[in-house]
Amino acid sequence: MEIKRDLYLNKLISKKHNGLIKVITGIRRCGKSFLLFTLFRNHLLEQGVKESHIIEMAFDTFENKKYRNPELMYPHIKEQISDDNMYYILLDEVQLLEDFESVLNSLIRMKNVDVYVTGSNAKFLSKDIITEFRGRGDELHMSPLSFSEFMSVYDGNKYDGWNEYILYGGLPPVVSLSTDEQKIEFLKNLFAETYINDITGRHKIKNKSELEELLNILSSGIGSLTNPRKLADTFRSVKQVSISQATLKNYIEYLSDAFLISAASRYDIRGKKYINSPLKYYFTDIGLRNARINFRQIEETHTMENIIYNELLIRGFNVDVGVVPFSQRDKTGKQTRRQLEVDFVCNKGSKRYYIQSAFAIPDQKKMNQEQRPFFCIDDSFKKIIIAKDVPAPWYTEKGILVMGIYDFLLNSHSLNE
């Protein structure tokens, strides 16, 4: 099964010959190697590049094990460069190459060499990896399959596809498995044997059970406001375990650096400033989140919110949680202040969208509830409600766009409708 990843392929093509090391990052098994060694390689061949000018090496294979030594690898690459035409060097699992930063910095100094690399352990997935190349790196971050990409290979209608996607997520290897049992086993094993082991190994975490318990708490509360203090209180009251806020903060950073989770900051829309704490955390792949809690607590409301958040990131938006101060008088006439929440404030360049995720809007009361935060925003940026079942996009009398989750996810230009 070949899944087209045109979004990432086109981005990679646009970075050709820019004089930088193209670094493909992303969560394990999201398709980085396939993008580089299949899709991008095929593109090069279609453009007339000779096979002899495409130098490939996967450092996790036995035959290339000796080339993890830079004293052998660097001369091996150089001896294949025999003319002045452009050579494309494609390196997979490059973190296995000793002193890979120095090797890559040397390769990029050659005028007729274009370098592309991937890596997939916790060290290489770290968000600060680009700094290793001292300004010579150009990162392409890759996500698991979007719902649109998933549906491009799913044999069924969008409704059945949605039910499958919200349960098992969008990691390409999972999509290719045929039974529920295979998908569940793969996701559980991947989480336990790969992600957790990578993080605990890299950061020398002695108490692995604390990290796993934190994952359980975050998995059970996706889209909920939290911070290290609240988490420490949860550990103390529910788990009868005392763990410092500093330790929990470090653990969250480790999970974020490995791209397992992503944080959405709170933004005061009227005050035009960020609120430091608490934050919301979402999982990069909903299937991994479900595997972490043994496929219990599959609340479609929160799952849909997580998927919308991931889709917005895929589309290149910076995504925050919006807060709008609101004053009202109670029954006694006393004025009180509250904060209303906008699920997502999405920014990209000069564009901004305010988005509410509403699983169901059964009546006008619920519609008023979802619209209310929008009425407290005094700018003219587009305001959108995304619900589960909406026959077709439509506008309310107040100019708010209401659309269904399928219209949003399956049309990359849906926010501009």
Side-chain angles (χ1 to χ4, degrees):
M1 177 192 300
E2 179 170 313
I3 305 174
K4 294 187 180 298
R5 309 299 300 274
D6 290 343
L7 174 66
Y8 305 104
L9 177 60
N10 291 334
K11 286 183 178 180
L12 200 57
I13 292 170
S14 72
K15 296 176 184 291
K16 284 199 305 183
H17 313 145
N18 66 0
L20 301 174
I21 303 163
K22 272 64 71 174
V23 184
I24 305 172
T25 64
I27 197 169
R28 271 187 182 271
R29 301 302 184 92
C30 70
K32 300 183 299 295
S33 300
F34 183 74
L35 171 66
L36 188 60
F37 283 159
T38 300
L39 299 178
F40 185 65
R41 185 179 188 277
N42 288 343
H43 161 76
L44 293 176
L45 294 174
E46 290 170 1
Q47 294 297 307
V49 177
K50 297 178 181 178
E51 288 201 22
S52 61
H53 284 62
I54 303 175
I55 303 173
E56 304 176 45
M57 187 171 292
F59 290 102
D60 62 339
T61 61
F62 180 79
E63 60 267 26
N64 289 330
K65 188 175 180 180
K66 64 180 180 181
Y67 291 117
R68 296 177 190 175
N69 181 343
E71 301 295 336
L72 296 177
M73 182 272 187
Y74 187 67
H76 175 68
I77 294 289
K78 285 195 69 175
E79 70 183 16
Q80 296 182 65
I81 301 175
S82 57
D83 57 43
D84 293 332
N85 293 324
M86 183 62 70
Y87 285 78
Y88 299 86
I89 300 178
L90 317 182
L91 306 177
D92 195 31
E93 303 291 359
V94 75
Q95 78 284 341
L96 296 174
L97 169 64
E98 298 173 23
D99 197 20
F100 69 86
E101 299 93 343
S102 297
V103 174
L104 295 180
N105 279 324
S106 295
L107 288 173
I108 204 66
R109 295 178 193 277
M110 301 180 189
K111 293 182 179 180
N112 62 328
V113 164
D114 206 14
V115 181
Y116 303 77
V117 304
T118 79
S120 57
N121 72 359
K123 181 180 189 300
F124 196 85
L125 291 180
S126 174
K127 291 177 182 176
D128 63 4
I129 190 63
I130 296 299
T131 63
E132 300 283 2
F133 303 130
R134 301 175 184 86
R136 297 189 179 94
D138 188 359
E139 182 181 17
L140 170 59
H141 184 69
M142 196 171 188
S143 297
L145 299 177
S146 67
F147 183 63
S148 178
E149 290 173 322
F150 172 86
M151 285 305 300
S152 71
V153 294
Y154 179 74
D155 185 19
N157 61 47
K158 61 186 179 184
Y159 307 105
D160 293 336
W162 171 257
N163 292 333
E164 179 97 359
Y165 188 74
I166 65 172
L167 194 59
Y168 300 122
L171 292 177
V174 177
V175 176
S176 66
L177 297 174
S178 56
T179 68
D180 291 342
E181 291 75 13
Q182 290 174 338
K183 296 174 191 290
I184 291 170
E185 182 180 10
F186 178 88
L187 286 166
K188 285 187 173 182
N189 289 340
L190 185 64
F191 212 130
E193 298 174 9
T194 302
Y195 297 113
I196 292 178
N197 285 345
D198 275 353
I199 294 169
T200 55
R202 180 191 180 198
H203 299 287
K204 299 179 174 58
I205 297 174
K206 295 179 180 179
N207 195 338
K208 189 164 99 171
S209 63
E210 289 182 347
L211 178 69
E212 296 203 63
E213 195 57 55
L214 173 62
L215 275 166
N216 292 339
I217 293 172
L218 292 176
S219 299
S220 298
I222 52 173
S224 299
L225 290 169
T226 191
N227 57 25
R229 179 183 60 78
K230 287 186 175 182
L231 290 168
D233 290 343
T234 301
F235 269 89
R236 189 162 41 250
S237 62
V238 179
K239 307 298 179 182
Q240 285 76 53
V241 173
S242 180
I243 180 170
S244 72
Q245 295 182 39
T247 298
L248 287 168
K249 182 180 178 182
N250 287 337
Y251 286 172
I252 289 172
E253 288 179 356
Y254 301 158
L255 296 172
S256 298
D257 284 346
F259 300 119
L260 269 173
I261 63 173
S262 182
S265 300
R266 298 173 79 208
Y267 180 73
D268 182 340
I269 297 172
R270 279 187 174 177
K272 299 181 180 179
K273 61 183 179 181
Y274 282 96
I275 303 169
N276 291 331
S277 181
L279 308 177
K280 284 191 175 186
Y281 293 96
Y282 297 96
F283 273 75
T284 300
D285 181 74
I286 204 68
L288 286 171
R289 176 264 181 182
N290 293 339
R292 186 63 228 172
I293 55 174
N294 292 315
F295 294 89
R296 300 187 299 267
Q297 289 182 260
I298 314 298
E299 309 97 334
E300 202 169 350
T301 305
H302 300 301
T303 301
M304 189 177 95
E305 182 180 325
N306 199 139
I307 290 171
I308 291 172
Y309 173 80
N310 289 341
E311 178 69 21
L312 291 167
L313 293 184
I314 290 171
R315 296 186 188 184
F317 288 98
N318 295 312
V319 185
D320 302 310
V321 177
V323 175
V324 187
F326 172 71
S327 297
Q328 67 177 8
R329 295 189 182 277
D330 60 22
K331 294 179 180 180
T332 65
K334 182 180 179 180
Q335 189 165 338
T336 60
R337 289 181 61 82
R338 293 176 51 200
Q339 285 187 335
L340 301 178
E341 185 175 286
V342 176
D343 287 332
F344 302 121
V345 180
C346 317
N347 293 288
K348 182 166 62 174
S350 61
K351 291 184 178 180
R352 171 178 289 187
Y353 300 98
Y354 299 112
I355 294 177
Q356 294 285 58
S357 171
F359 177 70
I361 308 179
D363 51 38
Q364 189 60 43
K365 181 179 179 181
K366 177 63 174 176
M367 175 61 78
N368 292 340
Q369 178 186 330
E370 295 297 336
Q371 292 185 95
R372 192 174 188 182
F374 292 155
F375 298 155
C376 300
I377 301 174
D378 56 4
D379 62 42
S380 57
F381 289 112
K382 196 167 187 177
K383 300 166 180 68
I384 303 166
I385 298 173
I386 300 174
K388 171 69 184 302
D389 294 312
V390 175
W394 61 282
Y395 283 88
T396 70
E397 293 180 354
K398 298 291 186 178
I400 295 169
L401 175 61
V402 181
M403 70 170 63
I405 188 66
Y406 304 112
D407 290 307
F408 169 65
L409 294 174
L410 295 176
N411 177 5
S412 61
H413 302 291
S414 55
L415 298 183
N416 298 322
E417 294 294 331

